[in-house]
Amino acid sequence: MSATTGDSAPHPAPSAPPEASGPDRAAPAAAGQPDLAALLGAAVAAVSGSPRPGQAAMAEAVAEAVADGSHLLVQAGTGTGKSLGYLVPALAQGERVIVATATLALQRQLIERDLPRTVEALHPLLRRRPEFATLKGRSNYLCLHRLHEGVPQDEEEGLFDPFEAAQAAVAAGGGASSRLGRDLLRLRDWADETETGDRDALSPGVSDRAWSQVSVSARECLGAAKCPYGTECFAEAARERAKLAEVIVTNHALLAIDALEGAPVLPEHEVLIIDEAHELVSRVTGVATGELTPGGVNRAVRRAAKLVDEKAADRLQTAAESFERLMELALPGRLEEIPEDLGYALAALRDAARTVITAIGTTRDASLSDEEAVRRQALASVENVQEVCDRILEGSEYDVLWYERHDRYGASLRVAPLTVSGLLREKLFTERSVILTSATLKLGGDFHGIAASLGLGPEGGSGTAGAAGAEGKEEAGDEETGDEAPVWRGLDVGSPFTYRKQGILYVARHLSPPGREGGRADMLDELAELMEAAGGRTLGLFSSMRAAQHAAEELRGRLDLPILLQGEETLGELIRTFAADARTCLFGTLSLWQGVDVPGPNCQLVVMDRIPFPRPDDPLMSARQRAVESAGGNGFMAVAATHAALLMAQGAGRLVRAVDDRGVVAVLDPRLATARYGGFLRASMPDFWYTNDRNQVRRSLAAIDAAARAAQP
């Protein structure tokens, strides 16, 4: 979509066929197979939907890619019905399919709504009923051994029963402890009711602290053969169901673990569909990031001390104390190379950890499950310390190392890959057909930036792995292997919404540009006037939590409107309250840019306080930007502008969620209108009617508010 620069009033745009590089008619049905259009029609009817040209075009392209084993990037705007656009052709092929999503909401939609109805609708036509299942990491499932036998503790020998402690805490009426206690007691009751043990099936949820008392990581698990509850294990049952299923729904994190660990955790599959694909690089980077903190190292020391001789325990304790003293002096920022004192501390910690791991290994024959649980937990903690130390000391040029400091958690030492494009190219695109889809894959008007970050070369071409063009590539610094870049094509199936008729993109060109000092009194004045004109109905997307808090504090004193602030209640509760009351406004940061779905008149003004560039001192982003520049590319455009474009596209997408929605996206940063990169950012957003006229926008908001009020029963 190209940005529009005129200030004429919004008008209906003539319908146009979706932009596509594939065939303009459906691929012929295989012999004995029903026509794809018939299958899609049956599925759409089953979910009470209506035929959509974009959805049909997507289904045809997915069927073709699956049939010939190629790769496809599909941008499908909100309201396209993309889940059926990929599920129907994938089910029709009869091959095993992994569907990976980024959010719990979409996983639930697929498992609880789309797949059951689609399978039933297609069963008479396919003459088979495909099985489907969901699969997540082991720590997402309730551990029956933890529940019944107790939790290994750092301060005590053996295990203790957290539920006895919970009952005592609740009886005593203590604050935080009693809340933890209530969560634990509810988990115990839920364990008798749940069929899956899946944390995401527990509603309302519990804190991470409570869940950690009844779950284990893959490393801590005793294994089905040793565990007295192995035959009843929820995680093992999920894996068995996945082995028998034709469609397995998982998350980006488990997909990343499957690619990173070497030992597969997902069943073999012929087709991989990645929904919410704009999130993939970020999620894979998160899984591939290692971290050392004094707290984590000290936990490893306490757990190991129970299992090894005094000499080995003291050695690890001494190394941990040296590391902790060093971290007390750590200043946030990137480490271009490992300082000598840090190198000595990490080497001592690594060597002590290796000694302890060897010593703990001698207890492998523990016959009692409680002793084995203690050993597993200690081994997992110490192995993590040793592995992160090893990785940092290797000093790979393809890793970024930095210190972080948090008010609550103190200092941490983190190491992350400079890029994951090579990993994705090698692990995802070599043995299967991959379909990647999202409402925001075309940044700046094309797929090049997203494709390069995934390790893909030019669209439709071959060439070597590094051939993606300097300005769009984020893989600079990736180890060149000389491998052929996977062949792929892109498809934009558009949206059923007429964005130029339904929405306005307003850029407040008259405001002062944002600076590092914050404040921006003129921006707050502008925001207040827009919110009053809209009668509330405002979703405020801020580039930092500090900015959101400052705006909420200031405007609560000026406006007679309820203003909710992220962090003051759970995100789900905030969104429910916002959606229920037209006058209510909601302010927040990153998760709101992508996680709010409020169709209807209660969200008619989406405000962005500034272009969400990454912080200049972000170690990983700045390292990636410099790597692109050293390879001859435009680091700012490839990294910072691409990051901002993705967030702005997602944020603007919060406005129009249904065919009747109307409203304004207001960007209170004049650089979107005046800077050279402004056109790139606007081209990444929905094709709203564009204006800088503040008076016209206020009139439009007032008219939309009046119409919404008049329509109220």
Side-chain angles (χ1 to χ4, degrees), residues 183-204:
D183 278 350
L184 287 170
L185 295 177
R186 190 157 65 84
L187 280 167
R188 186 177 63 181
D189 293 339
W190 177 70
D192 294 330
E193 305 166 1
T194 179
E195 295 181 1
T196 65
D198 184 342
R199 180 182 182 178
D200 293 330
L202 175 64
S203 181

PDB file of all heavy atoms in Angstrom, residues 183-204:
ATOM      1  N   ASP A 183      -3.459 -19.055  45.421  1.00  0.00           N
ATOM      2  CA  ASP A 183      -3.168 -19.568  44.078  1.00  0.00           C
ATOM      3  C   ASP A 183      -2.806 -21.047  44.124  1.00  0.00           C
ATOM      4  O   ASP A 183      -3.263 -21.850  43.302  1.00  0.00           O
ATOM      5  CB  ASP A 183      -2.011 -18.782  43.449  1.00  0.00           C
ATOM      6  CG  ASP A 183      -2.453 -17.466  42.835  1.00  0.00           C
ATOM      7  OD1 ASP A 183      -3.676 -17.250  42.718  1.00  0.00           O
ATOM      8  OD2 ASP A 183      -1.577 -16.656  42.469  1.00  0.00           O
ATOM      9  N   LEU A 184      -1.974 -21.427  45.092  1.00  0.00           N
ATOM     10  CA  LEU A 184      -1.542 -22.822  45.180  1.00  0.00           C
ATOM     11  C   LEU A 184      -2.702 -23.749  45.520  1.00  0.00           C
ATOM     12  O   LEU A 184      -2.826 -24.846  44.956  1.00  0.00           O
ATOM     13  CB  LEU A 184      -0.434 -22.954  46.227  1.00  0.00           C
ATOM     14  CG  LEU A 184       0.934 -22.394  45.818  1.00  0.00           C
ATOM     15  CD1 LEU A 184       1.877 -22.365  47.012  1.00  0.00           C
ATOM     16  CD2 LEU A 184       1.529 -23.212  44.685  1.00  0.00           C
ATOM     17  N   LEU A 185      -3.555 -23.315  46.421  1.00  0.00           N
ATOM     18  CA  LEU A 185      -4.701 -24.154  46.776  1.00  0.00           C
ATOM     19  C   LEU A 185      -5.667 -24.284  45.606  1.00  0.00           C
ATOM     20  O   LEU A 185      -6.263 -25.351  45.394  1.00  0.00           O
ATOM     21  CB  LEU A 185      -5.401 -23.571  48.004  1.00  0.00           C
ATOM     22  CG  LEU A 185      -4.563 -23.580  49.289  1.00  0.00           C
ATOM     23  CD1 LEU A 185      -5.321 -22.920  50.431  1.00  0.00           C
ATOM     24  CD2 LEU A 185      -4.158 -24.998  49.672  1.00  0.00           C
ATOM     25  N   ARG A 186      -5.797 -23.209  44.841  1.00  0.00           N
ATOM     26  CA  ARG A 186      -6.655 -23.307  43.652  1.00  0.00           C
ATOM     27  C   ARG A 186      -6.048 -24.249  42.622  1.00  0.00           C
ATOM     28  O   ARG A 186      -6.764 -24.994  41.947  1.00  0.00           O
ATOM     29  CB  ARG A 186      -6.879 -21.912  43.061  1.00  0.00           C
ATOM     30  CG  ARG A 186      -7.949 -21.885  41.969  1.00  0.00           C
ATOM     31  CD  ARG A 186      -8.527 -20.493  41.817  1.00  0.00           C
ATOM     32  NE  ARG A 186      -7.553 -19.543  41.349  1.00  0.00           N
ATOM     33  CZ  ARG A 186      -7.246 -19.365  40.058  1.00  0.00           C
ATOM     34  NH1 ARG A 186      -7.855 -20.098  39.140  1.00  0.00           N
ATOM     35  NH2 ARG A 186      -6.366 -18.468  39.692  1.00  0.00           N
ATOM     36  N   LEU A 187      -4.726 -24.224  42.490  1.00  0.00           N
ATOM     37  CA  LEU A 187      -4.059 -25.152  41.576  1.00  0.00           C
ATOM     38  C   LEU A 187      -4.274 -26.600  41.996  1.00  0.00           C
ATOM     39  O   LEU A 187      -4.472 -27.477  41.157  1.00  0.00           O
ATOM     40  CB  LEU A 187      -2.559 -24.838  41.526  1.00  0.00           C
ATOM     41  CG  LEU A 187      -2.139 -23.663  40.645  1.00  0.00           C
ATOM     42  CD1 LEU A 187      -0.702 -23.261  40.930  1.00  0.00           C
ATOM     43  CD2 LEU A 187      -2.304 -24.015  39.172  1.00  0.00           C
ATOM     44  N   ARG A 188      -4.241 -26.848  43.299  1.00  0.00           N
ATOM     45  CA  ARG A 188      -4.469 -28.218  43.771  1.00  0.00           C
ATOM     46  C   ARG A 188      -5.878 -28.684  43.438  1.00  0.00           C
ATOM     47  O   ARG A 188      -6.081 -29.818  42.989  1.00  0.00           O
ATOM     48  CB  ARG A 188      -4.231 -28.305  45.282  1.00  0.00           C
ATOM     49  CG  ARG A 188      -4.318 -29.731  45.809  1.00  0.00           C
ATOM     50  CD  ARG A 188      -4.003 -29.789  47.288  1.00  0.00           C
ATOM     51  NE  ARG A 188      -4.960 -29.032  48.099  1.00  0.00           N
ATOM     52  CZ  ARG A 188      -4.890 -28.918  49.423  1.00  0.00           C
ATOM     53  NH1 ARG A 188      -3.881 -29.482  50.072  1.00  0.00           N
ATOM     54  NH2 ARG A 188      -5.776 -28.227  50.078  1.00  0.00           N
ATOM     55  N   ASP A 189      -6.856 -27.817  43.610  1.00  0.00           N
ATOM     56  CA  ASP A 189      -8.230 -28.185  43.254  1.00  0.00           C
ATOM     57  C   ASP A 189      -8.369 -28.374  41.742  1.00  0.00           C
ATOM     58  O   ASP A 189      -9.037 -29.301  41.275  1.00  0.00           O
ATOM     59  CB  ASP A 189      -9.203 -27.106  43.732  1.00  0.00           C
ATOM     60  CG  ASP A 189      -9.267 -27.022  45.253  1.00  0.00           C
ATOM     61  OD1 ASP A 189      -8.892 -28.012  45.914  1.00  0.00           O
ATOM     62  OD2 ASP A 189      -9.675 -25.959  45.769  1.00  0.00           O
ATOM     63  N   TRP A 190      -7.741 -27.489  40.983  1.00  0.00           N
ATOM     64  CA  TRP A 190      -7.816 -27.560  39.519  1.00  0.00           C
ATOM     65  C   TRP A 190      -7.193 -28.847  38.989  1.00  0.00           C
ATOM     66  O   TRP A 190      -7.653 -29.417  37.988  1.00  0.00           O
ATOM     67  CB  TRP A 190      -7.118 -26.340  38.930  1.00  0.00           C
ATOM     68  CG  TRP A 190      -7.039 -26.297  37.441  1.00  0.00           C
ATOM     69  CD1 TRP A 190      -8.064 -26.098  36.562  1.00  0.00           C
ATOM     70  CD2 TRP A 190      -5.859 -26.439  36.636  1.00  0.00           C
ATOM     71  NE1 TRP A 190      -7.597 -26.104  35.268  1.00  0.00           N
ATOM     72  CE2 TRP A 190      -6.249 -26.308  35.280  1.00  0.00           C
ATOM     73  CE3 TRP A 190      -4.517 -26.646  36.927  1.00  0.00           C
ATOM     74  CZ2 TRP A 190      -5.335 -26.399  34.229  1.00  0.00           C
ATOM     75  CZ3 TRP A 190      -3.610 -26.733  35.886  1.00  0.00           C
ATOM     76  CH2 TRP A 190      -4.019 -26.606  34.556  1.00  0.00           C
ATOM     77  N   ALA A 191      -6.165 -29.326  39.677  1.00  0.00           N
ATOM     78  CA  ALA A 191      -5.492 -30.549  39.232  1.00  0.00           C
ATOM     79  C   ALA A 191      -6.443 -31.739  39.198  1.00  0.00           C
ATOM     80  O   ALA A 191      -6.258 -32.670  38.405  1.00  0.00           O
ATOM     81  CB  ALA A 191      -4.303 -30.853  40.140  1.00  0.00           C
ATOM     82  N   ASP A 192      -7.461 -31.732  40.044  1.00  0.00           N
ATOM     83  CA  ASP A 192      -8.432 -32.833  40.060  1.00  0.00           C
ATOM     84  C   ASP A 192      -9.471 -32.709  38.951  1.00  0.00           C
ATOM     85  O   ASP A 192     -10.203 -33.658  38.675  1.00  0.00           O
ATOM     86  CB  ASP A 192      -9.156 -32.877  41.414  1.00  0.00           C
ATOM     87  CG  ASP A 192      -8.218 -33.227  42.562  1.00  0.00           C
ATOM     88  OD1 ASP A 192      -7.243 -33.967  42.309  1.00  0.00           O
ATOM     89  OD2 ASP A 192      -8.457 -32.755  43.689  1.00  0.00           O
ATOM     90  N   GLU A 193      -9.544 -31.530  38.322  1.00  0.00           N
ATOM     91  CA  GLU A 193     -10.574 -31.286  37.314  1.00  0.00           C
ATOM     92  C   GLU A 193     -10.037 -31.282  35.889  1.00  0.00           C
ATOM     93  O   GLU A 193     -10.720 -31.684  34.956  1.00  0.00           O
ATOM     94  CB  GLU A 193     -11.239 -29.919  37.567  1.00  0.00           C
ATOM     95  CG  GLU A 193     -11.806 -29.752  38.966  1.00  0.00           C
ATOM     96  CD  GLU A 193     -12.148 -28.300  39.270  1.00  0.00           C
ATOM     97  OE1 GLU A 193     -11.954 -27.447  38.375  1.00  0.00           O
ATOM     98  OE2 GLU A 193     -12.590 -28.021  40.401  1.00  0.00           O
ATOM     99  N   THR A 194      -8.796 -30.795  35.714  1.00  0.00           N
ATOM    100  CA  THR A 194      -8.279 -30.582  34.369  1.00  0.00           C
ATOM    101  C   THR A 194      -8.000 -31.894  33.642  1.00  0.00           C
ATOM    102  O   THR A 194      -7.572 -32.884  34.249  1.00  0.00           O
ATOM    103  CB  THR A 194      -6.989 -29.732  34.403  1.00  0.00           C
ATOM    104  OG1 THR A 194      -6.498 -29.575  33.082  1.00  0.00           O
ATOM    105  CG2 THR A 194      -5.914 -30.385  35.257  1.00  0.00           C
ATOM    106  N   GLU A 195      -8.257 -31.884  32.357  1.00  0.00           N
ATOM    107  CA  GLU A 195      -7.942 -33.041  31.523  1.00  0.00           C
ATOM    108  C   GLU A 195      -6.594 -32.891  30.842  1.00  0.00           C
ATOM    109  O   GLU A 195      -5.989 -33.880  30.425  1.00  0.00           O
ATOM    110  CB  GLU A 195      -9.035 -33.234  30.463  1.00  0.00           C
ATOM    111  CG  GLU A 195     -10.392 -33.576  31.044  1.00  0.00           C
ATOM    112  CD  GLU A 195     -11.440 -33.794  29.963  1.00  0.00           C
ATOM    113  OE1 GLU A 195     -11.080 -33.695  28.773  1.00  0.00           O
ATOM    114  OE2 GLU A 195     -12.601 -34.059  30.308  1.00  0.00           O
ATOM    115  N   THR A 196      -6.110 -31.650  30.708  1.00  0.00           N
ATOM    116  CA  THR A 196      -4.874 -31.404  29.967  1.00  0.00           C
ATOM    117  C   THR A 196      -3.709 -30.957  30.845  1.00  0.00           C
ATOM    118  O   THR A 196      -2.555 -31.133  30.465  1.00  0.00           O
ATOM    119  CB  THR A 196      -5.101 -30.327  28.898  1.00  0.00           C
ATOM    120  OG1 THR A 196      -5.411 -29.073  29.552  1.00  0.00           O
ATOM    121  CG2 THR A 196      -6.231 -30.713  27.956  1.00  0.00           C
ATOM    122  N   GLY A 197      -3.990 -30.348  32.003  1.00  0.00           N
ATOM    123  CA  GLY A 197      -2.924 -29.793  32.828  1.00  0.00           C
ATOM    124  C   GLY A 197      -2.243 -28.594  32.211  1.00  0.00           C
ATOM    125  O   GLY A 197      -1.206 -28.134  32.692  1.00  0.00           O
ATOM    126  N   ASP A 198      -2.801 -28.055  31.154  1.00  0.00           N
ATOM    127  CA  ASP A 198      -2.220 -26.928  30.423  1.00  0.00           C
ATOM    128  C   ASP A 198      -2.497 -25.641  31.190  1.00  0.00           C
ATOM    129  O   ASP A 198      -3.653 -25.311  31.476  1.00  0.00           O
ATOM    130  CB  ASP A 198      -2.846 -26.875  29.026  1.00  0.00           C
ATOM    131  CG  ASP A 198      -2.247 -25.805  28.128  1.00  0.00           C
ATOM    132  OD1 ASP A 198      -1.594 -24.871  28.648  1.00  0.00           O
ATOM    133  OD2 ASP A 198      -2.439 -25.891  26.906  1.00  0.00           O
ATOM    134  N   ARG A 199      -1.443 -24.912  31.509  1.00  0.00           N
ATOM    135  CA  ARG A 199      -1.599 -23.670  32.275  1.00  0.00           C
ATOM    136  C   ARG A 199      -2.572 -22.715  31.606  1.00  0.00           C
ATOM    137  O   ARG A 199      -3.321 -22.009  32.285  1.00  0.00           O
ATOM    138  CB  ARG A 199      -0.236 -22.988  32.451  1.00  0.00           C
ATOM    139  CG  ARG A 199      -0.313 -21.687  33.238  1.00  0.00           C
ATOM    140  CD  ARG A 199       1.043 -21.007  33.364  1.00  0.00           C
ATOM    141  NE  ARG A 199       0.948 -19.797  34.165  1.00  0.00           N
ATOM    142  CZ  ARG A 199       1.975 -19.018  34.469  1.00  0.00           C
ATOM    143  NH1 ARG A 199       3.188 -19.312  34.027  1.00  0.00           N
ATOM    144  NH2 ARG A 199       1.802 -17.928  35.203  1.00  0.00           N
ATOM    145  N   ASP A 200      -2.577 -22.686  30.292  1.00  0.00           N
ATOM    146  CA  ASP A 200      -3.419 -21.735  29.584  1.00  0.00           C
ATOM    147  C   ASP A 200      -4.906 -22.076  29.701  1.00  0.00           C
ATOM    148  O   ASP A 200      -5.752 -21.259  29.349  1.00  0.00           O
ATOM    149  CB  ASP A 200      -3.014 -21.666  28.112  1.00  0.00           C
ATOM    150  CG  ASP A 200      -1.622 -21.070  27.942  1.00  0.00           C
ATOM    151  OD1 ASP A 200      -1.238 -20.240  28.782  1.00  0.00           O
ATOM    152  OD2 ASP A 200      -0.922 -21.445  26.990  1.00  0.00           O
ATOM    153  N   ALA A 201      -5.212 -23.288  30.166  1.00  0.00           N
ATOM    154  CA  ALA A 201      -6.611 -23.665  30.366  1.00  0.00           C
ATOM    155  C   ALA A 201      -7.122 -23.240  31.734  1.00  0.00           C
ATOM    156  O   ALA A 201      -8.307 -23.396  32.025  1.00  0.00           O
ATOM    157  CB  ALA A 201      -6.771 -25.174  30.193  1.00  0.00           C
ATOM    158  N   LEU A 202      -6.249 -22.720  32.572  1.00  0.00           N
ATOM    159  CA  LEU A 202      -6.634 -22.277  33.909  1.00  0.00           C
ATOM    160  C   LEU A 202      -7.071 -20.818  33.856  1.00  0.00           C
ATOM    161  O   LEU A 202      -6.292 -19.943  33.496  1.00  0.00           O
ATOM    162  CB  LEU A 202      -5.446 -22.426  34.869  1.00  0.00           C
ATOM    163  CG  LEU A 202      -5.629 -21.912  36.293  1.00  0.00           C
ATOM    164  CD1 LEU A 202      -6.716 -22.706  37.013  1.00  0.00           C
ATOM    165  CD2 LEU A 202      -4.313 -21.993  37.062  1.00  0.00           C
ATOM    166  N   SER A 203      -8.316 -20.555  34.197  1.00  0.00           N
ATOM    167  CA  SER A 203      -8.835 -19.191  34.136  1.00  0.00           C
ATOM    168  C   SER A 203      -9.654 -18.894  35.392  1.00  0.00           C
ATOM    169  O   SER A 203     -10.546 -19.670  35.746  1.00  0.00           O
ATOM    170  CB  SER A 203      -9.709 -19.009  32.889  1.00  0.00           C
ATOM    171  OG  SER A 203     -10.187 -17.688  32.805  1.00  0.00           O
ATOM    172  N   PRO A 204      -9.368 -17.780  36.099  1.00  0.00           N
ATOM    173  CA  PRO A 204      -8.248 -16.877  35.822  1.00  0.00           C
ATOM    174  C   PRO A 204      -6.919 -17.541  36.132  1.00  0.00           C
ATOM    175  O   PRO A 204      -6.866 -18.552  36.821  1.00  0.00           O
ATOM    176  CB  PRO A 204      -8.537 -15.698  36.752  1.00  0.00           C
ATOM    177  CG  PRO A 204      -9.323 -16.276  37.877  1.00  0.00           C
ATOM    178  CD  PRO A 204     -10.166 -17.349  37.276  1.00  0.00           C
TER     179      PRO A 204
END
